[in-house]
Amino acid sequence: MPPSKPPTKPPLSSLISTHDFAAAFPLAVPAKTVAFVTSAATDSLTCAANKEAYASITLRPRILRDVSGPIALSTTLLAHPVRSPIYAAPTSMGRTVHPEGEREIARGCVAAGVAIVVSTSASFAVREVLDVVGGRVPAFFQLYVDRDRHKSETVLREAVGAGVKGVWVTVDAPVIGKREADERAPLDEVEVTTPMSGAQAVRDAAGGGLGRIMGKYVDASLAWGDVAWLRGCLPRGMPVVLKGIQTAMDAVAAMGAGVEGIVVSNHGGRSLDTSPATILVLLELQRCCPQIFDRMEVFVDGGIMRGTDVFKALCLGAKGVGIGRGTLYGLGYGEEGVKKYIEILNDELETTMRMCGVTSLDELHPGLLNTRAVDHLIPSTVDEEHPFAKWRPSKL
Ligand SMILES: Cc1cc2nc3c(=O)[nH]c(=O)nc-3n(C[C@H](O)[C@H](O)[C@H](O)COP(=O)(O)O)c2cc1C
Ligand SMILES: CC(C)CC(=O)C(=O)O
């Protein structure tokens, strides 16, 4: 028998759902890249829960509301206009997927008219990515704070000089999560450097985990007091967003720290396994501290695969919805793939809106959802009376 030919990736024109993109991804990139991108922390429970929780929330469609007119998806993110609330979440090392990495993601975002968040661990310097953007869509900078703060200050100066519209500090990864698939997959298939963090992929005694090795520079000493340090590094008026909020208590603390936004995120389940699904955290914020939605912009990411997921997040107060792995699945097909991935979600969102009797984003509200199936999972208060807040290790 002749050896069977390895399967080739299907043509872009044949992909009609985000799941089709996810299935095609392993056929488009090296095995190491698949392991790095798709892996999550330990048992991947949070990664799965992010998706499952969306399925547990059902819609309450309203009928006979003349939804024949155009649907307005355009909105603003931190006051910058975009064609859709969907944005490319920061993802590192884009060259593991495509030779043009984040520059190609940027082209796809420009074509779709959506915002991009550029990672400190991008394969290109922030200016090289913003040169592609050319001011046509808002670009934000995701900061991993370096243990050498001078390096972070330099990177921030470069990002501001390049024209980013805000800084998103990642706060859910003081150390990098244990991703076993990434650790096991041999490192020799890919050559990776990240110019802004100055890291290089070299296998060490613990294994070949790209995330862990390339994230060694991240400063675990980061604390609330550092928001003031960050402000001092930025021009007046530059928005600061904390990415990785997972409790109402920390959302309230973020509001107290005076930041302009938060991202409800658990890093796509890549950081701490069994941390809660992000849509449930958004629901917790609605229940425990609804005032924050008037004071800050709240974004969410993690597990979003359908327009109905986007719709649910927006109904619960999200101003924007980030796509992490999906952007990279799209990138497997270059700029056109990124654009198509976003447009599939936009189309599904439009359909969901019409079916639910609304034609503009400002008509979305929690009453369009039934959350009864998950209500028992939501902590109901942020104050010190809450059993979680009272729990102390000394009780063990
Ligand atoms: C391959 C990969 C690299 C990532 N790199 C970063 C990063 O450099 N900085 C960051 O804040 N988040 C990073 N994230 C997390 C994403 O910004 C986002 O929170 C997450 O992917 C959302 O979940 P989703 O993949 O289910 O959409 C990364 C995620 C992936 C999959
Ligand atoms: C740790 C970084 C280098 C990348 C990252 O955030 C990720 O892989 O999730």
Side-chain angles (χ1 to χ4, degrees):
M1 280 243 291
S4 56
K5 269 199 351 205
T8 53
K9 66 177 182 180
L12 181 60
S13 58
S14 71
L15 308 185
I16 62 166
S17 78
T18 63
H19 294 289
D20 290 347
F21 274 89
F25 188 64
L27 307 175
V29 297
K32 176 63 186 174
T33 301
V34 178
F36 167 60
V37 171
T38 63
S39 60
T42 53
D43 294 315
S44 301
L45 297 172
T46 293
C47 183
N50 277 346
K51 294 181 189 163
E52 286 159 10
Y54 278 105
S56 304
I57 295 173
T58 56
L59 299 167
R60 302 178 70 208
R62 303 300 309 277
I63 54 156
L64 294 175
R65 293 180 149 240
D66 185 359
V67 292
S68 60
I71 296 273
L73 290 187
S74 54
T75 183
T76 56
L77 299 190
L78 298 166
H80 297 281
V82 281
R83 238 186 275 159
S84 156
I86 294 165
Y87 65 86
T91 49
S92 54
M93 301 177 246
R95 287 195 72 187
T96 58
V97 177
H98 186 283
E100 276 281 283
E102 294 79 6
R103 285 165 58 85
E104 193 74 358
I105 294 177
R107 290 184 186 103
C109 288
V110 167
V114 300
I116 178 172
V117 189
V118 182
S119 166
T120 305
S121 285
S123 300
F124 291 90
V126 59
R127 179 171 291 284
E128 295 175 283
V129 182
L130 266 78
D131 280 350
V132 168
V133 173
R136 289 170 291 175
V137 293
F140 303 101
F141 181 64
Q142 175 270 326
L143 178 70
Y144 272 128
V145 176
D146 198 300
R147 275 180 281 122
D148 178 350
R149 294 288 170 101
H150 296 300
K151 278 172 77 181
S152 291
E153 287 163 12
T154 303
V155 163
L156 283 171
R157 262 196 305 278
E158 284 167 11
V160 170
V164 300
K165 307 291 186 200
V167 172
W168 300 35
V169 194
T170 296
V171 293
D172 62 5
V175 291
I176 306 306
K178 182 172 184 247
R179 305 161 191 169
E180 294 174 5
D182 185 23
E183 216 56 78
R184 287 194 183 105
L187 197 49
D188 46 18
E189 275 193 64
V190 288
E191 198 184 307
V192 193
T193 52
T194 50
M196 288 184 281
S197 76
Q200 202 165 3
V202 181
R203 191 189 159 82
D204 64 17
L210 254 186
R212 182 182 53 75
I213 291 165
M214 301 300 276
K216 282 180 183 168
Y217 69 99
V218 176
D219 186 359
S221 81
L222 196 69
W224 284 104
D226 289 314
V227 173
W229 160 77
L230 181 60
R231 285 269 183 226
C233 299
L234 299 175
R236 189 186 276 276
M238 170 75 61
V240 170
V241 172
L242 300 186
K243 175 177 181 283
I245 297 290
Q246 298 171 76
T247 61
M249 289 178 262
D250 282 341
V252 170
M255 188 176 68
V259 297
E260 283 70 23
I262 57 173
V263 188
V264 172
S265 175
N266 51 38
H267 223 101
R270 293 161 76 82
S271 275
L272 175 64
D273 204 16
T274 71
S275 60
T278 48
I279 193 67
L280 300 188
V281 177
L282 204 52
L283 191 53
E284 178 183 334
L285 305 195
Q286 282 289 347
R287 297 276 157 79
C288 301
C289 51
Q291 72 278 17
I292 66 160
F293 292 90
D294 298 327
R295 301 265 299 271
M296 307 184 285
E297 294 204 359
V298 177
F299 309 109
V300 68
D301 70 26
I304 289 154
M305 298 294 286
R306 288 291 184 188
T308 45
D309 301 341
V310 179
F311 180 88
K312 290 169 190 176
L314 299 174
C315 283
L316 291 178
K319 186 78 171 131
V321 166
I323 307 296
R325 293 181 184 83
T327 306
L328 299 172
Y329 298 158
L331 182 61
Y333 287 84
E335 167 188 348
E336 283 303 315
V338 173
K339 175 171 179 267
K340 183 165 183 182
Y341 196 98
I342 292 162
E343 287 179 345
I344 285 173
L345 287 172
N346 281 341
D347 283 350
E348 291 180 358
L349 173 60
E350 281 194 31
T351 303
T352 309
M353 288 171 68
R354 282 191 219 279
M355 298 277 196
C356 287
V358 295
T359 53
S360 88
L361 296 182
D362 50 26
E363 292 175 82
L364 304 186
H365 60 90
L368 291 168
L369 308 180
N370 181 345
T371 60
R372 284 289 283 277
V374 293
D375 280 346
H376 64 288
L377 298 171
I378 309 299
S380 55
T381 175
V382 292
D383 69 24
E384 279 296 310
E385 292 311 304
H386 192 272
F388 294 172
K390 277 200 237 163
W391 184 85
R392 295 286 180 275
S394 59
K395 288 189 182 165
L396 279 176

